[in-house]
Amino acid sequence: PLSRSGCHRTQGSRPFCLSAARAILGKWGGDEGKQKLTLKDVAELLRKKECQRVVVMAGAGISTPSGIPDFRSPGSGLYSNLEQYDIPYPEAIFELGYFFTNPKPFFTLAKELYPGNYRPNSAHYFLRLLHDKGLLLRLYTQNIDGLERVAGIPPDRLVEAHGTFATATCTVCQRNFPGEDFRKDVMEDRVPCCPVCTGVVKPDIVFFGEQLPQRFLLHLTDFPMADLLFVIGTSLEVEPFASLAGAVRSSVPRVLINRELVGPFAWQQRHNDVAQLGDVVGGVEKLVELLGWSDEMQTLMQKEKEKVGRGSERQLPPQPLHSLCWSYPGEWVTTLPRVQKTPKATQT
Ligand SMILES: [Zn+2]
């Protein structure tokens, strides 16, 4: 479809589209005659429970304040860690073909992002508060760090569009396991193997070309039902996630909390769109303040901080021993460090 600025989404160059859309919308001021909605108005709608089926779309912008490395940018700590593996390009770690040849780079990422290394920030806890107050219909996240779960948002309120480390699947027999079962392997730089068939076990992160999780289909009912949409910390560049922002009814207020205008907020603005631009956590905290939830948020974060602290001390279950893993295309993965670390497993 053509945007108001006349640029096609795929044909037009982004900078031109954005500037053209801004110029036109600046003069129009959205829909003429209608009062522009503000963040304060949105806070009021939530306080009065006039909106109580809130759908949230979240992206990397809510994770970077927690210190999650941007694994796609060269120069970030994680990318340097991966350089030792000589990966052809960063995206290769999410390609199945590459994974079956060399799963090590992916598991280096897994080790970094396995639940426990990072803590949620105010943005995650704001979403948790929305849930606690019964206002959150669903949170769609593109993040794979699992911080939404750590913040206490139950999995049934979540659609982890790009997957999760919370569960894992054997690449050979397709059995499902809790991600925790393989924590020790991942932490000790071993490629996890299926306890049943010895196949390589892959955390349920969506690789390029893989289907999105079944739960993603919930968008078919969630978005038409939503009465408020938050888009927080995402560039809305990755499809099919990106198009969802346009799937709420036109009467539904859409709130963008992000560094800059993105997606339909830039090129297909509606009169009831609100953009809180700048620092993402700062924007969320401003909203929390307008909602009068600041004290509650402080209490919640303090309580959760103590819980996370206790959680890290728990004992890990004993792990089965594996020597070799069977990888999907039918080759033995023989380069596992386990073979070196366990003298008994060395075969001569
Ligand atoms: Zn298996």
Side-chain angles (χ1 to χ4, degrees):
L2 290 172
S3 73
R4 280 180 185 174
S5 64
C7 301
H8 194 273
R9 279 173 67 195
T10 49
Q11 287 168 355
S13 75
R14 181 177 303 277
F16 171 72
C17 277
L18 283 181
S19 55
R22 276 191 195 125
I24 292 165
L25 290 169
K27 276 174 201 149
W28 277 2
D31 297 23
E32 204 144 1
K34 287 188 185 167
Q35 193 89 47
K36 207 93 177 79
L37 208 66
T38 66
L39 198 63
K40 202 176 165 204
D41 299 329
V42 171
E44 205 59 17
L45 287 170
L46 279 171
R47 268 151 62 110
K48 290 184 182 159
K49 301 227 167 178
E50 280 170 30
C51 293
Q52 39 188 331
R53 293 190 305 272
V54 183
V55 168
V56 181
M57 296 170 67
I62 70 164
S63 291
T64 41
S66 286
I68 302 287
D70 177 3
F71 43 81
R72 290 189 180 87
S73 323
S76 75
L78 188 68
Y79 190 72
S80 317
N81 282 350
L82 291 172
E83 268 172 357
Q84 60 178 302
Y85 298 108
D86 209 18
I87 53 170
Y89 42 93
E91 289 80 8
I93 52 174
F94 297 111
E95 285 174 5
L96 283 175
Y98 188 78
F99 177 81
F100 288 126
T101 328
N102 181 14
K104 292 290 293 178
F106 173 75
F107 281 106
T108 302
L109 176 84
K111 185 178 177 180
E112 182 72 24
L113 294 184
Y114 235 65
N117 281 351
Y118 296 94
R119 281 186 177 170
N121 59 61
S122 335
H124 300 98
Y125 286 117
F126 161 65
L127 302 175
R128 160 76 188 273
L129 274 187
L130 273 183
H131 165 68
D132 286 354
K133 291 171 183 293
L135 301 171
L136 181 68
L137 177 59
R138 208 84 61 192
L139 164 54
Y140 287 74
T141 182
Q142 298 175 92
N143 300 333
I144 55 170
D145 48 58
L147 289 182
E148 300 86 2
R149 291 185 189 227
V150 181
I153 300 163
D156 72 329
R157 288 288 134 194
L158 286 174
V159 171
E160 291 152 312
H162 296 163
T164 174
F165 287 103
T167 53
T169 303
C170 172
T171 54
V172 178
C173 74
Q174 308 296 320
R175 280 183 176 84
N176 296 106
F177 303 95
E180 272 307 304
D181 288 7
F182 307 100
R183 170 181 290 277
K184 198 163 185 286
D185 286 320
V186 172
M187 291 308 140
E188 294 176 6
D189 300 317
R190 285 189 300 270
V191 173
C193 296
C194 176
V196 181
C197 79
T198 73
V200 172
V201 174
K202 178 181 154 294
D204 291 337
I205 298 299
V206 179
F207 276 33
F208 294 117
E210 280 192 303
Q211 293 259 322
L212 294 195
Q214 281 293 307
R215 292 184 59 74
F216 189 74
L217 291 175
L218 286 169
H219 78 83
L220 294 171
T221 47
D222 284 348
F223 280 74
M225 257 168 64
D227 55 15
L228 178 61
L229 175 71
F230 280 113
V231 177
I232 310 177
T234 165
S235 57
L236 290 179
E237 272 174 350
V238 184
E239 291 292 354
F241 194 87
S243 301
L244 292 182
V248 291
R249 287 166 293 137
S250 59
S251 59
V252 170
R254 304 188 298 185
V255 182
L256 174 74
I257 302 177
N258 199 40
R259 288 221 158 267
E260 67 261 313
L261 280 182
V262 289
F265 292 90
W267 51 263
Q268 212 166 50
Q269 217 172 66
R270 296 177 181 174
H271 75 276
N272 45 7
D273 282 351
V274 179
Q276 173 65 36
L277 303 182
D279 177 63
V280 170
V281 164
V284 169
E285 284 171 350
K286 186 180 170 192
L287 176 61
V288 168
E289 208 181 308
L290 289 170
L291 283 161
W293 294 357
S294 298
D295 289 347
E296 227 172 317
M297 179 106 136
Q298 279 307 315
T299 313
L300 172 66
M301 286 179 76
Q302 190 54 42
K303 204 176 75 193
E304 289 295 312
K305 200 173 155 188
E306 287 161 14
K307 210 178 358 180
V308 172
R310 280 203 305 276
S312 60
E313 288 158 22
R314 70 176 175 266
Q315 285 279 308
L316 293 165
Q319 297 293 306
L321 290 173
H322 319 290
S323 53
L324 294 169
C325 287
W326 182 251
S327 93
Y328 175 71
E331 286 171 39
W332 289 101
V333 178
T334 52
T335 53
L336 300 176
R338 184 63 189 230
V339 177
Q340 295 152 15
K341 283 184 183 171
T342 316
K344 277 180 190 168
T346 314
Q347 289 163 7
T348 48

